Amino acid sequence: MELRQLLYFVTCARCGSLTTAAEELFTTQPHVSMVIRELEKELGVRLFLRRNNGVELTEAGARVYGYAQDTLRNAELFRSVGQEQREHSLRVMTNNSSNMAVMLTAFYNERTRDDEGTPSLYMQFTECGIEKMIELISGNEYDLGFLFVPDTKRSALRYMMDRRQLAFTPLLDTDLVLYVGKNHSLANRSSVTPEELAALSFIQLEDDFFTVEDLLTGAPDFRRKTMAIRRVVRTNSDHMMIRMLEKTELCNLGSYWLKDAYRQYDFRRIPVKGMEGRIAFGYISRKGEPLGEDAAEFLDFLHRTLKSDTVGLR
């Protein structure tokens, strides 16, 4: 079986016509028909029903169509590997964070381009939970994983890192803050108490072992008074988070480490009393393995930016 056969088959299925597929493939209809017959013979199944107005997938053909699409996509990924390896590359993971999207965009724009004006950096960016992050960093599929760790979970993180020969490097300690829209009833407050949060409704990110909410719900006073955070919406979408904060009375508990990240949305950031400096922001990497040139450059860029961005940081 050849990739060319699968390409012809997928094109015919998508076009619903051998003649139209031939035009798209820059060949003739008889040649397309011959390739499809060869593929049917090799597979031992009939892939198309011939109609007066074109072709239609058989039940077996519909199954093969899904497999063929996956195969062609994977083949394209194989072809891209060589090109990606010739370019500078940076593979970064993070907890859900618009802050990191801001940083990577700024870093991308800072990088020089080659003589032909094309980008000199191949970048791969994924948001996920800590368990997935550890798996992919350990498997050498990503270079760096950035995350926020409440002080109540740092020992657990150290245990998880040691098992996979990974290391966590803290970059700074930051605060637990309440995010609200500019029209929210608390928008002009300079701080809030943990007890006040129990009366609010929240949109929060999907549960993760290292969620910053645990700082609050695990606090002795909070537990003693049997208070709870009222989570109305759970999401993994930053767009959903932004929209809800802009248009509703919902709030969000998060951390504060890059002052410009939400400026365009005019959100209010209100410190939670007693929760200052209790969230570590840092990165995980493979222990004892030197970072690549591009990962090291990004960390240097991150250090420089955090050094100049001192408002709200400890």
Side-chain angles (χ1 to χ4, degrees):
M1 186 183 304
E2 300 175 359
L3 288 175
R4 177 181 63 93
Q5 292 174 301
L6 298 181
L7 175 62
Y8 277 42
F9 165 66
V10 167
T11 305
C12 290
R14 177 168 46 79
C15 294
S17 163
L18 300 185
T19 300
T20 304
E23 294 173 357
E24 187 172 312
L25 293 164
F26 300 101
T27 187
T28 63
Q29 186 273 333
H31 179 66
V32 171
S33 183
M34 180 189 70
V35 171
I36 296 300
R37 283 198 304 271
E38 289 174 351
L39 182 60
E40 288 178 325
K41 182 178 180 180
E42 184 170 350
L43 296 176
V45 295
R46 191 175 182 184
L47 299 174
F48 290 109
L49 297 173
R50 274 67 173 179
R51 308 293 190 191
N52 291 334
N53 60 346
V55 293
E56 179 184 335
L57 286 170
T58 63
E59 183 178 344
R63 292 177 59 193
V64 173
Y65 180 69
Y67 301 147
Q69 283 185 306
D70 290 341
T71 300
L72 291 173
R73 278 194 294 266
N74 288 334
E76 185 60 33
L77 289 174
F78 277 118
R79 281 191 288 267
S80 71
V81 167
Q83 177 64 25
E84 291 172 8
Q85 290 301 313
R86 288 192 294 272
E87 298 172 343
H88 291 281
S89 65
L90 175 63
R91 304 171 300 172
V92 173
M93 311 186 76
T94 182
N95 295 138
N96 291 70
S97 171
S98 61
N99 289 327
M100 187 54 68
V102 169
M103 294 297 295
L104 286 167
T105 301
F107 179 67
Y108 179 87
N109 284 331
E110 183 180 277
R111 290 291 297 261
T112 58
R113 292 170 175 260
D114 64 22
D115 294 337
E116 297 180 356
T118 55
S120 62
L121 176 68
Y122 168 77
M123 189 181 294
Q124 188 171 351
F125 175 58
T126 296
E127 294 182 344
C128 65
I130 180 60
E131 290 87 357
K132 188 69 172 177
M133 189 183 299
I134 288 174
E135 175 187 340
L136 294 177
I137 296 289
S138 178
N140 203 30
E141 296 183 49
Y142 283 79
D143 304 310
L144 298 168
F146 293 89
L147 68 157
F148 303 87
V149 187
D151 57 11
T152 53
K153 295 291 182 71
R154 292 188 196 183
S155 59
L157 176 65
R158 194 176 305 113
Y159 173 74
M160 296 171 72
M161 296 292 99
D162 289 343
R163 291 179 57 200
R164 293 294 192 101
Q165 293 300 302
L166 300 176
F168 174 70
T169 304
L171 295 173
L172 57 87
D173 290 331
T174 184
D175 310 333
L176 183 69
V177 298
L178 178 71
Y179 286 99
V180 299
K182 62 181 180 180
N183 297 319
H184 194 277
S185 58
L186 296 177
N188 295 321
R189 292 283 297 275
S190 60
S191 64
V192 293
T193 65
E195 290 78 13
E196 288 179 292
L197 300 182
L200 303 176
S201 297
F202 290 86
I203 174 171
Q204 293 295 124
L205 297 174
E206 290 182 343
D207 284 319
D208 189 289
F209 181 69
F210 291 97
T211 176
V212 296
E213 304 162 49
D214 289 348
L215 273 178
L216 189 65
T217 56
D221 288 345
F222 211 79
R223 288 202 311 266
R224 191 178 304 117
K225 296 178 182 179
T226 63
M227 292 184 288
I229 293 297
R230 187 186 304 127
R231 302 173 183 89
V232 176
V233 178
R234 279 287 187 187
T235 182
N236 66 350
S237 167
D238 202 47
H239 296 293
M240 182 69 167
M241 181 78 70
I242 289 167
R243 189 68 175 173
M244 283 288 189
L245 289 177
E246 283 182 326
K247 301 296 183 181
T248 74
E249 283 292 300
L250 295 182
C251 312
N252 172 253
L253 281 172
S255 58
Y256 178 27
W257 65 281
L258 186 62
K259 65 181 180 183
D260 290 328
Y262 283 110
R263 178 173 291 177
Q264 59 180 311
Y265 305 109
D266 203 18
F267 295 151
R268 303 295 191 260
R269 293 177 290 267
I270 308 170
V272 180
K273 287 184 177 179
M275 298 294 163
E276 298 86 355
R278 294 194 54 189
I279 303 170
F281 170 68
Y283 65 92
I284 62 175
S285 57
R286 288 176 290 280
K287 190 181 294 184
E289 182 176 320
L291 292 173
E293 175 187 350
D294 298 288
E297 279 191 26
F298 177 65
L299 281 178
D300 179 66
F301 172 84
L302 190 58
H303 279 290
R304 285 188 280 112
T305 304
L306 292 178
K307 197 173 198 179
S308 64
D309 189 11
T310 56
V311 177
L313 300 178
R314 283 172 171 77

